[in-house]
mmCIF file with all atom_site columns, all heavy atoms in Angstrom:
data_model
loop_
_atom_site.group_PDB
_atom_site.id
_atom_site.type_symbol
_atom_site.label_atom_id
_atom_site.label_alt_id
_atom_site.label_comp_id
_atom_site.label_asym_id
_atom_site.label_entity_id
_atom_site.label_seq_id
_atom_site.pdbx_PDB_ins_code
_atom_site.Cartn_x
_atom_site.Cartn_y
_atom_site.Cartn_z
_atom_site.occupancy
_atom_site.B_iso_or_equiv
_atom_site.pdbx_formal_charge
_atom_site.auth_seq_id
_atom_site.auth_comp_id
_atom_site.auth_asym_id
_atom_site.auth_atom_id
_atom_site.pdbx_PDB_model_num
ATOM 1  N N   . ASN A 1 167 ? 135.944 113.005 100.339 1.00 0.00 ? 865 ASN A N   1
ATOM 2  C CA  . ASN A 1 167 ? 136.773 114.171 100.714 1.00 0.00 ? 865 ASN A CA  1
ATOM 3  C C   . ASN A 1 167 ? 137.944 114.257 99.899  1.00 0.00 ? 865 ASN A C   1
ATOM 4  O O   . ASN A 1 167 ? 138.946 114.964 100.498 1.00 0.00 ? 865 ASN A O   1
ATOM 5  C CB  . ASN A 1 167 ? 137.119 114.078 102.277 1.00 0.00 ? 865 ASN A CB  1
ATOM 6  C CG  . ASN A 1 167 ? 136.038 114.746 102.980 1.00 0.00 ? 865 ASN A CG  1
ATOM 7  O OD1 . ASN A 1 167 ? 135.176 115.564 102.510 1.00 0.00 ? 865 ASN A OD1 1
ATOM 8  N ND2 . ASN A 1 167 ? 135.918 114.373 104.307 1.00 0.00 ? 865 ASN A ND2 1
ATOM 9  N N   . ASP A 1 168 ? 138.153 113.606 98.800  1.00 0.00 ? 866 ASP A N   1
ATOM 10 C CA  . ASP A 1 168 ? 139.306 113.708 98.057  1.00 0.00 ? 866 ASP A CA  1
ATOM 11 C C   . ASP A 1 168 ? 139.237 114.963 97.021  1.00 0.00 ? 866 ASP A C   1
ATOM 12 O O   . ASP A 1 168 ? 140.287 115.578 96.744  1.00 0.00 ? 866 ASP A O   1
ATOM 13 C CB  . ASP A 1 168 ? 139.547 112.402 97.216  1.00 0.00 ? 866 ASP A CB  1
ATOM 14 C CG  . ASP A 1 168 ? 139.981 111.286 98.138  1.00 0.00 ? 866 ASP A CG  1
ATOM 15 O OD1 . ASP A 1 168 ? 140.327 111.513 99.301  1.00 0.00 ? 866 ASP A OD1 1
ATOM 16 O OD2 . ASP A 1 168 ? 139.670 110.095 97.701  1.00 0.00 ? 866 ASP A OD2 1
ATOM 17 N N   . SER A 1 169 ? 138.069 115.079 96.369  1.00 0.00 ? 867 SER A N   1
ATOM 18 C CA  . SER A 1 169 ? 137.930 116.130 95.502  1.00 0.00 ? 867 SER A CA  1
ATOM 19 C C   . SER A 1 169 ? 136.506 116.749 95.662  1.00 0.00 ? 867 SER A C   1
ATOM 20 O O   . SER A 1 169 ? 135.684 115.984 96.153  1.00 0.00 ? 867 SER A O   1
ATOM 21 C CB  . SER A 1 169 ? 138.076 115.522 93.950  1.00 0.00 ? 867 SER A CB  1
ATOM 22 O OG  . SER A 1 169 ? 137.301 114.385 93.937  1.00 0.00 ? 867 SER A OG  1
ATOM 23 N N   . PRO A 1 170 ? 136.367 117.918 95.211  1.00 0.00 ? 868 PRO A N   1
ATOM 24 C CA  . PRO A 1 170 ? 135.060 118.618 95.408  1.00 0.00 ? 868 PRO A CA  1
ATOM 25 C C   . PRO A 1 170 ? 133.977 117.832 94.598  1.00 0.00 ? 868 PRO A C   1
ATOM 26 O O   . PRO A 1 170 ? 134.215 117.389 93.499  1.00 0.00 ? 868 PRO A O   1
ATOM 27 C CB  . PRO A 1 170 ? 135.199 119.977 94.966  1.00 0.00 ? 868 PRO A CB  1
ATOM 28 C CG  . PRO A 1 170 ? 136.398 119.869 94.033  1.00 0.00 ? 868 PRO A CG  1
ATOM 29 C CD  . PRO A 1 170 ? 137.302 118.869 94.611  1.00 0.00 ? 868 PRO A CD  1
ATOM 30 N N   . GLY A 1 171 ? 132.828 117.613 95.242  1.00 0.00 ? 869 GLY A N   1
ATOM 31 C CA  . GLY A 1 171 ? 131.713 116.975 94.503  1.00 0.00 ? 869 GLY A CA  1
ATOM 32 C C   . GLY A 1 171 ? 131.726 115.494 94.618  1.00 0.00 ? 869 GLY A C   1
ATOM 33 O O   . GLY A 1 171 ? 130.849 114.859 94.021  1.00 0.00 ? 869 GLY A O   1
ATOM 34 N N   . ASP A 1 172 ? 132.752 114.879 95.277  1.00 0.00 ? 870 ASP A N   1
ATOM 35 C CA  . ASP A 1 172 ? 132.777 113.446 95.184  1.00 0.00 ? 870 ASP A CA  1
ATOM 36 C C   . ASP A 1 172 ? 131.542 112.983 96.207  1.00 0.00 ? 870 ASP A C   1
ATOM 37 O O   . ASP A 1 172 ? 131.446 111.688 96.396  1.00 0.00 ? 870 ASP A O   1
ATOM 38 C CB  . ASP A 1 172 ? 134.075 112.917 95.640  1.00 0.00 ? 870 ASP A CB  1
ATOM 39 C CG  . ASP A 1 172 ? 134.671 113.272 96.993  1.00 0.00 ? 870 ASP A CG  1
ATOM 40 O OD1 . ASP A 1 172 ? 133.831 114.028 97.701  1.00 0.00 ? 870 ASP A OD1 1
ATOM 41 O OD2 . ASP A 1 172 ? 135.682 112.828 97.341  1.00 0.00 ? 870 ASP A OD2 1
ATOM 42 N N   . LYS A 1 173 ? 130.893 113.763 96.867  1.00 0.00 ? 871 LYS A N   1
ATOM 43 C CA  . LYS A 1 173 ? 129.822 113.233 97.750  1.00 0.00 ? 871 LYS A CA  1
ATOM 44 C C   . LYS A 1 173 ? 128.495 113.183 97.043  1.00 0.00 ? 871 LYS A C   1
ATOM 45 O O   . LYS A 1 173 ? 127.496 112.681 97.598  1.00 0.00 ? 871 LYS A O   1
ATOM 46 C CB  . LYS A 1 173 ? 129.742 114.029 99.001  1.00 0.00 ? 871 LYS A CB  1
ATOM 47 C CG  . LYS A 1 173 ? 130.900 113.855 99.970  1.00 0.00 ? 871 LYS A CG  1
ATOM 48 C CD  . LYS A 1 173 ? 130.970 114.826 101.108 1.00 0.00 ? 871 LYS A CD  1
ATOM 49 C CE  . LYS A 1 173 ? 132.283 114.723 101.796 1.00 0.00 ? 871 LYS A CE  1
ATOM 50 N NZ  . LYS A 1 173 ? 132.449 115.664 102.882 1.00 0.00 ? 871 LYS A NZ  1
ATOM 51 N N   . ILE A 1 174 ? 128.393 113.840 95.946  1.00 0.00 ? 872 ILE A N   1
ATOM 52 C CA  . ILE A 1 174 ? 127.096 114.024 95.286  1.00 0.00 ? 872 ILE A CA  1
ATOM 53 C C   . ILE A 1 174 ? 126.508 112.594 94.813  1.00 0.00 ? 872 ILE A C   1
ATOM 54 O O   . ILE A 1 174 ? 125.423 112.292 95.243  1.00 0.00 ? 872 ILE A O   1
ATOM 55 C CB  . ILE A 1 174 ? 127.162 114.980 94.117  1.00 0.00 ? 872 ILE A CB  1
ATOM 56 C CG1 . ILE A 1 174 ? 127.575 116.380 94.542  1.00 0.00 ? 872 ILE A CG1 1
ATOM 57 C CG2 . ILE A 1 174 ? 125.843 115.080 93.396  1.00 0.00 ? 872 ILE A CG2 1
ATOM 58 C CD1 . ILE A 1 174 ? 127.762 117.365 93.637  1.00 0.00 ? 872 ILE A CD1 1
ATOM 59 N N   . LEU A 1 175 ? 127.278 111.920 93.987  1.00 0.00 ? 873 LEU A N   1
ATOM 60 C CA  . LEU A 1 175 ? 126.861 110.725 93.418  1.00 0.00 ? 873 LEU A CA  1
ATOM 61 C C   . LEU A 1 175 ? 126.453 109.709 94.556  1.00 0.00 ? 873 LEU A C   1
ATOM 62 O O   . LEU A 1 175 ? 125.404 109.005 94.567  1.00 0.00 ? 873 LEU A O   1
ATOM 63 C CB  . LEU A 1 175 ? 127.754 110.081 92.366  1.00 0.00 ? 873 LEU A CB  1
ATOM 64 C CG  . LEU A 1 175 ? 127.933 110.874 91.094  1.00 0.00 ? 873 LEU A CG  1
ATOM 65 C CD1 . LEU A 1 175 ? 128.854 110.150 90.129  1.00 0.00 ? 873 LEU A CD1 1
ATOM 66 C CD2 . LEU A 1 175 ? 126.554 111.102 90.500  1.00 0.00 ? 873 LEU A CD2 1
ATOM 67 N N   . PRO A 1 176 ? 127.276 109.520 95.505  1.00 0.00 ? 874 PRO A N   1
ATOM 68 C CA  . PRO A 1 176 ? 126.996 108.546 96.550  1.00 0.00 ? 874 PRO A CA  1
ATOM 69 C C   . PRO A 1 176 ? 125.707 108.938 97.313  1.00 0.00 ? 874 PRO A C   1
ATOM 70 O O   . PRO A 1 176 ? 124.827 108.044 97.478  1.00 0.00 ? 874 PRO A O   1
ATOM 71 C CB  . PRO A 1 176 ? 128.199 108.485 97.479  1.00 0.00 ? 874 PRO A CB  1
ATOM 72 C CG  . PRO A 1 176 ? 129.293 109.117 96.737  1.00 0.00 ? 874 PRO A CG  1
ATOM 73 C CD  . PRO A 1 176 ? 128.746 109.987 95.676  1.00 0.00 ? 874 PRO A CD  1
ATOM 74 N N   . ALA A 1 177 ? 125.535 110.195 97.616  1.00 0.00 ? 875 ALA A N   1
ATOM 75 C CA  . ALA A 1 177 ? 124.382 110.658 98.365  1.00 0.00 ? 875 ALA A CA  1
ATOM 76 C C   . ALA A 1 177 ? 123.014 110.380 97.441  1.00 0.00 ? 875 ALA A C   1
ATOM 77 O O   . ALA A 1 177 ? 122.042 109.942 98.036  1.00 0.00 ? 875 ALA A O   1
ATOM 78 C CB  . ALA A 1 177 ? 124.467 112.050 98.669  1.00 0.00 ? 875 ALA A CB  1
ATOM 79 N N   . VAL A 1 178 ? 123.177 110.759 96.162  1.00 0.00 ? 876 VAL A N   1
ATOM 80 C CA  . VAL A 1 178 ? 121.993 110.540 95.356  1.00 0.00 ? 876 VAL A CA  1
ATOM 81 C C   . VAL A 1 178 ? 121.679 109.023 95.166  1.00 0.00 ? 876 VAL A C   1
ATOM 82 O O   . VAL A 1 178 ? 120.526 108.633 95.301  1.00 0.00 ? 876 VAL A O   1
ATOM 83 C CB  . VAL A 1 178 ? 122.181 111.293 93.956  1.00 0.00 ? 876 VAL A CB  1
ATOM 84 C CG1 . VAL A 1 178 ? 121.138 110.883 93.023  1.00 0.00 ? 876 VAL A CG1 1
ATOM 85 C CG2 . VAL A 1 178 ? 122.254 112.681 94.108  1.00 0.00 ? 876 VAL A CG2 1
#
Side-chain angles (χ1 to χ4, degrees):
Chain A
N865 272 338
D866 293 339
S867 46
D870 63 359
K871 290 171 186 173
I872 296 175
L873 288 185
V876 170

